[in-house]
């Protein structure tokens, strides 16, 4: 099984600009008001910096809003999920030594206590939280098509946010899009078929409500397979069977197999993303399928991924 894409936290040149500036002032050099800018003091933005900052602010803003929705079903999960998302995005920004003033949008280095005292936050209703989640999902989807150096990260964030909207009972508005490239669709088709096979094996070892739920899941995976087949020409014949990760002899192993299969469906959702040309509409379909995978997986006991399709480390 190919490994998930890994989001690495690289070391940062923290404090480099400040150190250079301190060196200039410590040497007794006085810069005239009209003196030209010293070239080596200029900071080059990291790739996709504005998009990363915007994603971080969306995540922190939505997490904070959800904390104000006490008693609203799903609000605590929104807070937890988007707080985790914000931590990962913040790590990426810190690794790139992006200044705090840019991340937070602060206009001054320190906050002042002068001026009238601001009132405390008001309670957020279920409708208001749902609207905030929907706006976040829409903005993340738009931004996903603009990432260049962090395309997988942008797609992962968009899928995460769309799945959050679905989890609250919403329905993301997916724009019109071109079909997936054949290679991308073929890869997702193989993973989908393997997942469906595993669920079928598990269903044979379960009964009652558990088996009924898996039969519904098999239908959903079948519809997913049909949608992917449209983009694959000629369509590959179905595989009679797949190698299971462990023997399944009873209900315990069957339940575990379902979570492993659905977890793999999420983990492999961004495979061959590089085969989609930048800033093209097929990326929307990848995000949609990944959001669907997250929704299916979480409904069957798979922990909600902070960055679907990426290994955060």
């Amino acid at each position: 099984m190919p490994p998930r894409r890994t989001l690495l936290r690289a070391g940062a040149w923290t404090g480099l600009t400040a150190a250079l500036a301190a060196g200039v002032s410590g040497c007794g050099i006085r810069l005239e008001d009209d003196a030209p800018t010293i070239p080596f003091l200029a900071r080059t933005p990291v790739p996709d910096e504005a998009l990363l900052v915007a994603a971080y602010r969306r995540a922190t803003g939505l997490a904070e809003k959800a904390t104000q929705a006490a008693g609203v079903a799903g609000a605590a999960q929104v807070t937890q999920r988007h707080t985790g998302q914000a931590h990962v995005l913040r790590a990426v920004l810190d690794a790139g030594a992006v200044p705090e003033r840019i991340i937070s949008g602060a206009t001054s280095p320190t906050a002042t206590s002068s001026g009238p005292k601001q009132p405390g936050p008001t309670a957020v209703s279920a409708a208001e939280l749902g609207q905030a989640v929907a706006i976040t999902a829409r903005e993340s989807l738009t931004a996903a098509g603009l990432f260049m150096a962090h395309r997988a990260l942008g797609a992962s964030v968009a899928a995460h946010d769309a799945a959050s909207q679905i989890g609250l009972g919403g329905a993301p508005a997916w724009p019109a899009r071109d079909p997936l490239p054949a290679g991308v669709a073929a890869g997702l088709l193989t993973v989908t078929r393997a997942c469906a096979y595993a669920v079928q094996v598990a269903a044979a070892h379960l009964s009652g409500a558990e088996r009924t739920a898996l039969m519904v899941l098999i239908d959903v995976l079948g519809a997913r397979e049909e949608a992917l087949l449209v983009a694959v020409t000629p369509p590959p014949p179905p595989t009679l069977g797949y190698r299971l990760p462990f023997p399944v002899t009873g209900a315990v192993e069957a339940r575990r197999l379902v979570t492993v299969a659905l977890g793999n469906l999420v983990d492999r959702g961004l495979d061959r993303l590089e085969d989609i040309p930048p800033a093209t509409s097929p990326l929307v379909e990848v995000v949609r399928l990944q959001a669907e995978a997250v929704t299916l997986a979480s409904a069957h006991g798979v922990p909600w991924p902070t960055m679907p399709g990426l290994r955060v480390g």
Side-chain angles (χ1 to χ4, degrees):
M1 178 189 305
R4 281 184 287 173
R5 297 166 180 270
T6 303
L7 187 63
L8 300 175
R9 298 179 183 177
W13 294 345
T14 307
L16 175 60
T17 302
L20 289 174
V24 171
S25 60
C27 293
I29 300 175
R30 179 176 181 274
L31 300 180
E32 299 296 334
D33 292 339
D34 59 350
T37 302
I38 300 177
F40 59 78
L41 289 182
R43 189 186 74 87
T44 301
V46 299
D48 299 325
E49 180 175 299
L51 294 168
L52 291 167
V53 169
Y56 172 75
R57 291 180 187 174
R58 281 195 301 272
T60 55
L62 185 55
E64 181 178 357
K65 194 174 192 68
T67 62
Q68 302 168 20
V72 173
Q77 289 78 11
V78 172
T79 298
Q80 180 183 16
R81 293 163 185 168
H82 286 84
T83 297
Q85 185 189 72
H87 285 165
V88 175
L89 290 165
R90 180 62 190 240
V92 174
L93 292 167
D94 287 344
V98 180
E100 176 61 33
R101 60 181 175 79
I102 293 178
I103 297 174
S104 64
T107 56
S108 60
T110 58
T112 62
S113 58
S114 61
K117 188 175 182 179
Q118 297 297 321
T122 58
V124 173
S125 67
E128 290 171 329
L129 179 61
Q131 182 182 32
V133 171
I135 291 172
T136 297
R138 183 172 65 248
E139 292 179 348
S140 295
L141 180 61
T142 300
L146 303 177
F147 279 91
M148 292 298 169
H150 299 85
R151 296 184 67 210
L153 178 61
S156 179
V157 168
H160 174 283
D161 294 351
S164 290
Q165 184 182 359
I166 296 170
L168 287 182
W174 302 108
R177 53 205 176 272
D178 295 323
L180 290 172
V184 177
L188 293 174
L189 177 63
T190 298
V191 177
T192 299
R193 283 176 166 175
C195 182
Y197 175 79
V199 174
Q200 289 169 355
V201 172
H205 290 83
L206 297 170
S207 60
E210 286 184 300
R211 187 175 190 278
T212 299
L214 292 188
M215 297 308 294
V216 173
L217 176 58
I218 290 170
D219 289 341
V220 174
L221 292 171
R224 180 185 178 98
E225 177 182 346
E226 291 299 321
L228 289 167
L229 278 169
V230 172
V232 183
T233 304
T239 302
L240 296 179
Y242 293 85
R243 181 179 298 174
L244 298 178
F246 47 82
V248 179
T249 59
V252 173
E253 294 90 353
R255 296 185 189 104
R256 181 185 168 204
L257 180 62
V258 172
T259 59
V260 169
L262 287 171
N264 188 56
L265 190 70
V266 175
D267 293 346
R268 299 286 303 280
L270 301 183
D271 283 5
R272 300 189 63 171
L273 189 70
E274 61 276 3
D275 291 346
I276 298 177
T280 58
S281 64
L283 180 65
V284 174
E285 182 64 5
V286 171
V287 172
R288 186 193 71 80
L289 290 167
Q290 186 71 329
E292 178 186 69
V294 172
T295 303
L296 294 174
S298 63
H300 289 270
V302 179
W304 190 281
T306 302
M307 290 287 172
L310 299 180
R311 174 176 287 120
V312 180

